[in-house]
Amino acid sequence: MLFRSLFFAPANRPELLAKFPRFSADCYAIDLEDGTPPDDKIVAREALADNIDMLRMADVKGLVYVRVNEPGSSLFLDDIAAAVNCDIDGIIIPKLETPEQCNPIISAVAAAEKANADKRPVKIMGGIESMLGVLNVNELCRANDLMSSVFFGAEDLASDMGARRTKEGDEVLYARSRVVLAAKIASIVAIDQAVIDVRNDEQCRTDASKGRDLGYEGKICVIPRQIDICNSVYAPTDEEVAEAEEVVAVYKEAMSKGIGTIDFKGKMIDGPLLKRAEATLAISAIIKNRESA
């Protein structure tokens, strides 16, 4: 499953949602939270099913998620009730801080699946966007069987901390690293922070590359142009694929001769590097299948 690009659009803007099929994001998020003004939230929720049916009729590529309003808000439970019965792939819980905040979604998903055995499985994506969320991220990533991904929300975290945002992002590097580490331990997907400077494509590319270096598998996109940037950065290059194929072939030949560590082009290759090469080939195959679909 690909999550190189997670593109948000406000739930109260059906003309923007209708453009999803034109784009190439791996995951689309219909946003009932920050992207939708307070006065429009209920109307946007009431239109959710029709908008999602419109996307399915248009054969939108990629996953379709709904971001509900944050736990503890007066809208949270009603958002879940509306979203879980739609034809979606997942629900995003923003500002997730405790495992218990997932319980209403778990119950709602179970009830919806019981009522409709053919319903598309619904997963949970947690937004790690606060000091408490970062502190509890290990427990959150392993909160329940529906938890399949998390994203790191640097802007909300910086506001929570009273930190000044910089292009380098050193003020959130600890939290950024902690989130991806917790996700990897739990074997779930980690999606990196957004770049809100929408006129700076190079910053988006540089920050996405840093996220990939840290172990993230994708990035939040706030404008359509960022989608192609993130899809490119989080895909193995032709050179990386070619080297991975060679590493796998050479190492497996060495193992057949009882050799566990080899010198490959001046680098010592052993089990961990083989694992990385195999992961590169696996993601490359998934991307090719997606592009040919």
Side-chain angles (χ1 to χ4, degrees), residues 201-202 204-205 208 224-234:
D201 290 354
E202 188 54 37
C204 180
R205 187 177 300 279
R225 198 167 64 250
Q226 292 180 345
I227 294 172
D228 290 338
I229 293 173
C230 293
N231 283 353
S232 174
V233 170
Y234 281 96

Side-chain angles (χ1 to χ4, degrees), residues 181-241:
L181 181 62
K184 296 297 180 178
I185 291 171
S187 298
I188 66 174
V189 171
I191 302 170
D192 197 16
Q193 63 186 4
V195 169
I196 62 172
D197 186 349
V198 296
R199 298 182 180 180
N200 194 334
D201 290 354
E202 188 54 37
Q203 184 186 352
C204 180
R205 187 177 300 279
T206 299
D207 198 65
S209 182
K210 183 174 182 178
R212 185 184 174 194
D213 289 344
L214 288 171
Y216 281 94
E217 291 151 88
K219 191 170 190 62
I220 296 171
C221 301
V222 295
I223 59 170
R225 198 167 64 250
Q226 292 180 345
I227 294 172
D228 290 338
I229 293 173
C230 293
N231 283 353
S232 174
V233 170
Y234 281 96
T237 64
D238 292 342
E239 292 77 10
E240 288 172 330
V241 171

Side-chain angles (χ1 to χ4, degrees), residues 139-165:
E139 292 76 18
L140 296 175
C141 286
R142 294 176 287 181
N144 56 77
D145 291 341
L146 296 184
M147 185 67 65
S148 63
S149 55
V150 291
F151 74 80
F152 174 56
E155 300 304 325
D156 282 284
L157 175 64
S159 295
D160 201 17
M161 294 169 56
R164 186 172 64 178
R165 292 294 277 135

Side-chain angles (χ1 to χ4, degrees), residues 8-220:
F8 281 84
N12 69 320
R13 299 286 302 279
E15 75 279 10
L16 296 182
L17 302 179
K19 294 180 180 179
F20 280 178
R22 304 181 192 177
F23 306 141
S24 55
D26 289 335
C27 184
Y28 298 93
I30 300 174
D31 188 14
L32 289 168
E33 195 215 11
D34 287 345
T36 298
D39 290 346
D40 292 345
K41 288 182 183 290
I42 293 177
V43 172
R45 180 206 298 149
E46 291 172 348
L48 197 59
D50 288 341
N51 283 324
I52 292 169
D53 286 346
M54 174 267 295
L55 292 175
R56 294 303 184 192
M57 288 286 290
D59 194 26
V60 65
K61 299 295 189 287
L63 303 171
V64 177
Y65 276 56
V66 172
R67 177 160 72 173
V68 298
N69 283 280
E70 65 183 276
S73 72
S74 61
L75 300 165
F76 181 59
L77 296 179
D78 287 338
D79 285 354
I80 292 171
V84 76
N85 288 298
C86 295
D87 189 15
I88 60 173
D89 296 289
I91 292 178
I92 301 173
I93 307 178
K95 302 173 182 65
L96 182 63
E97 295 184 329
T98 68
E100 292 74 24
Q101 290 172 331
C102 298
N103 290 344
I105 295 180
I106 296 171
S107 299
V109 167
E113 292 178 346
K114 184 176 180 180
N116 182 4
D118 296 327
K119 191 179 185 313
R120 188 186 303 263
V122 174
K123 297 294 186 181
I124 294 175
M125 178 188 297
I128 311 302
E129 309 175 77
S130 68
M131 294 186 291
L132 186 57
V134 172
L135 182 66
N136 292 336
V137 69
N138 289 327
E139 292 76 18
L140 296 175
C141 286
R142 294 176 287 181
N144 56 77
D145 291 341
L146 296 184
M147 185 67 65
S148 63
S149 55
V150 291
F151 74 80
F152 174 56
E155 300 304 325
D156 282 284
L157 175 64
S159 295
D160 201 17
M161 294 169 56
R164 186 172 64 178
R165 292 294 277 135
T166 65
K167 287 185 178 181
E168 295 76 16
D170 292 342
E171 69 280 4
V172 296
L173 181 57
Y174 166 75
R176 191 180 184 186
S177 301
R178 180 165 175 153
V179 168
V180 70
L181 181 62
K184 296 297 180 178
I185 291 171
S187 298
I188 66 174
V189 171
I191 302 170
D192 197 16
Q193 63 186 4
V195 169
I196 62 172
D197 186 349
V198 296
R199 298 182 180 180
N200 194 334
D201 290 354
E202 188 54 37
Q203 184 186 352
C204 180
R205 187 177 300 279
T206 299
D207 198 65
S209 182
K210 183 174 182 178
R212 185 184 174 194
D213 289 344
L214 288 171
Y216 281 94
E217 291 151 88
K219 191 170 190 62
I220 296 171

